[in-house]
Amino acid sequence: MVATHKAVRGLAALGSSLALVLVGLAVPAAAEPETPVAYRSASTVTRADSLGFDTCTAPSLAALKAWKGTSPYRVVNMYFGGNNRGCSQPNLTAAWVRDASAMGWKLLPTYFGYQPYCMRGDKPNRYTAANATSRGNSDATDAVAKAKALGMRSGSALYADVEHYDRTDSACRTAVRRYVSAWTKTLHSSGYLAGVYVHQDSGLRDLSDSYTSTTYARPDAVWMARWDGNASLSGWPTAPNSHWAADQRAKQYRGDHDETWGGVKINIDSDAIEAPVATVARTYRVTSSTSLNARSGPSTSYPVVRAHAPGSSLSVVCQGTGQKVGPTTVWDRLTTGAWVSDYYVSTPSSTGFTRSLPRCIYPGQVTTDSLNARTGPGVSYPTTGSPLRRGSLAAVMCQKAGSRTGTTSVWNKLRDGRWVSDYYVSNRSNRSWSAPVPRCL
């Protein structure tokens, strides 16, 4: 990909504000570097922790099926847009995204748009320091539209490809930072996480140098290219381990080469991935003998918003914890944003979580250098585990009232069961609840 590329808090911008108001959402506060994500109700962040591969043209479903059972890879990238994308994508449709996800693949969406004017290569569409912000905004807007059309839901991480460039040009370094900041803020206002693909000696170095800058919004994840055969996600020479420290890193550790699995040969780059990827709904059916009520929250105390007939299909985005129904406390969040008890859904387990479905989480970046996590929602509870670093994604599952910290009494329960004050997590409010995060029971 690198060598040839196979293929206070201020007001949001007026257009974004109007769009959010029109869909009934509170306008998130905007502050660099930790801008909040305006998650939609039917959303979650999906994380990958495995090896992956990227290739110019999205492989056929038959090829993915052959590789799924035989290769070490569990994530595949896809170049889903951008005016510098070089390869045709005959396979890349909403059906491909749906079926590849149902097959068990996690998807790493890559957008190959405008490039810095000092890029080392011959891609024609480039930006300067003067127009980098507008290019970042327009690329992100287009990326969101294309992601939605392919079925990648709010909470998906979309990765802007920033190819290797000449760092001796200071104006070009500024251009890259402006582009990535605009990319990040526009994606966040649309409900998506912002990732970037960068070279270790240019983009990674510059974004790491501006990690705490109040001038630029910080992306949520970095995918770094260094073809040294080492898949480690720590000890990088141009970014300290404290930057993008919580499942926010991927590394392209081997470049162009052929691999054959299940009798199918593909030319790929190899990646190690512990980072957010695409969120794609999966289809199950209602197993109850009577209509299944979908509710506005994960408990029978919430209002019914719709009833689903026995045997009907349900599009499930993620799973969370709620009121116990039968032997399980698992509830499923649907593409409508409503919740149903998993006890009456044809997921593989009727007693616990389904491994192939993500947990419902709504991460925000940590806004302080070191955030203590506790065993309960208040400072009277003991600290537990390692503190969260600035810029880490706090994997928020639900919120509950606790001891007051700063301007809020809201506390966040994390995916690992620990608690942090919401005051130090960038989301829609540091004074009150942040939809669509559910309340903890």
Side-chain angles (χ1 to χ4, degrees), residues 169-382:
D169 187 328
S170 61
C172 195
R173 297 200 303 270
T174 297
V176 169
R177 287 171 173 147
R178 288 176 178 172
Y179 175 90
V180 172
S181 180
W183 167 266
T184 298
K185 289 196 286 186
T186 301
L187 289 186
H188 282 185
S189 69
S190 301
Y192 289 77
L193 292 187
V196 286
Y197 169 87
V198 288
H199 191 280
Q200 72 147 358
D201 289 326
S202 53
L204 181 63
R205 186 185 297 272
D206 286 331
L207 295 177
S208 186
D209 286 349
S210 61
Y211 190 82
T212 59
S213 169
T214 57
T215 302
Y216 306 107
R218 181 194 304 122
D220 302 293
V222 290
W223 176 15
M224 182 265 278
R226 189 187 189 199
W227 294 354
D228 59 0
N230 181 358
S232 177
L233 297 175
S234 62
W236 292 357
T238 56
N241 291 337
S242 58
H243 290 182
W244 300 286
D247 297 321
Q248 296 164 273
R249 291 186 170 202
K251 181 180 178 182
Q252 189 184 76
Y253 61 88
R254 185 181 178 192
D256 298 340
H257 65 285
D258 292 337
E259 290 193 22
T260 301
W261 299 97
V264 176
K265 182 170 73 173
I266 306 176
N267 183 260
I268 68 169
D269 299 326
S270 298
D271 307 283
I273 303 162
E274 290 182 14
V277 290
T279 293
V280 181
R282 303 186 71 168
T283 302
Y284 298 93
R285 61 181 178 82
V286 176
T287 60
S288 59
S289 58
T290 58
S291 292
L292 174 61
N293 288 329
R295 299 178 179 272
S296 60
S299 166
T300 57
S301 64
Y302 286 92
V304 175
V305 295
R306 181 179 171 181
H308 294 271
S312 61
S313 295
L314 299 173
S315 293
V316 178
V317 175
C318 59
Q319 294 184 316
T321 300
Q323 177 189 3
K324 189 172 185 178
V325 176
T328 187
T329 59
V330 174
W331 283 65
D332 301 332
R333 195 156 207 179
L334 309 181
T335 53
T336 61
W339 298 81
V340 295
S341 170
D342 186 61
Y343 183 61
Y344 300 110
V345 181
S346 66
T347 52
S349 175
S350 61
T351 58
F353 290 108
T354 294
R355 184 176 181 182
S356 57
L357 283 169
R359 302 297 84 79
C360 298
I361 56 172
Y362 310 92
Q365 290 190 26
V366 173
T367 63
T368 187
D369 287 341
S370 181
L371 176 59
N372 285 326
R374 299 181 179 273
T375 59
V379 294
S380 63
Y381 290 89

Side-chain angles (χ1 to χ4, degrees), residues 71-140:
S71 80
Y73 304 112
R74 295 296 177 265
V75 182
V76 58
N77 99 305
M78 51 185 178
Y79 293 102
F80 72 101
N83 58 14
N84 274 312
R85 182 176 65 170
C87 293
S88 62
Q89 299 293 342
N91 299 319
L92 188 53
T93 63
W96 184 93
V97 168
R98 179 197 64 212
D99 293 345
S101 179
M103 200 182 296
W105 287 97
K106 291 186 175 180
L107 307 178
L108 186 64
T110 312
Y111 187 90
F112 196 10
Y114 283 98
Q115 294 297 305
Y117 70 85
C118 63
M119 169 195 169
R120 298 183 186 278
D122 58 1
K123 294 300 179 182
N125 300 303
R126 305 196 181 199
Y127 56 79
T128 66
N131 65 9
T133 296
S134 64
R135 297 304 194 200
N137 287 333
S138 62
D139 274 359

